[in-house]
Amino acid sequence: MGELLPVASDSQKGLMPAGNFTKLGDLYGKDGKSVRDGSGYGYGTTNGSGVVGPFLSFTCGISVLQIQANQTGESIKFRTKNAAGNWTSWKTFNIS
């Protein structure tokens, strides 16, 4: 019988290559700037977005795009980190 594959992580291959987009879980108390690519539940009081709800983070080279949605679905915010390492302030998409 074959071996079971481990769960993928930052350093270990599993059902997908190590370091890919993963579930980040609850991000309470984290500013979000040092999280890896993945999805989680973000808190505007600690990451500065001002909203509570689903959080996504994507890296492209050394740039980062982060998206934070309001749990009520009323707004979506995003911020980016540029190649120089500078973060923008959170910008808002309003959904009506």
Side-chain angles (χ1 to χ4, degrees):
M1 190 144 194
E3 293 181 29
L4 293 176
L5 290 174
V7 175
S9 68
D10 282 336
S11 60
Q12 179 176 326
K13 288 185 178 183
L15 297 175
M16 62 186 200
N20 279 358
F21 196 83
T22 61
K23 186 174 180 181
L24 300 169
D26 192 324
L27 298 170
Y28 182 76
K30 297 180 182 175
D31 69 4
K33 292 182 177 180
S34 62
V35 300
R36 48 174 280 158
D37 288 359
S39 63
Y41 196 82
Y43 295 83
T45 55
T46 56
N47 70 18
S49 67
V51 298
V52 175
F55 175 89
L56 301 170
S57 185
F58 305 93
T59 303
C60 182
I62 55 176
S63 298
V64 179
L65 168 65
Q66 293 185 335
I67 302 169
Q68 173 84 39
N70 183 298
Q71 65 183 348
T72 63
E74 295 173 0
S75 68
I76 296 174
K77 294 193 173 192
F78 70 95
R79 68 179 173 186
T80 60
K81 181 174 87 170
N82 63 25
N86 300 314
W87 285 94
T88 65
S89 60
W90 286 96
K91 310 294 185 211
T92 303
F93 285 114
N94 287 317
I95 302 167
S96 54

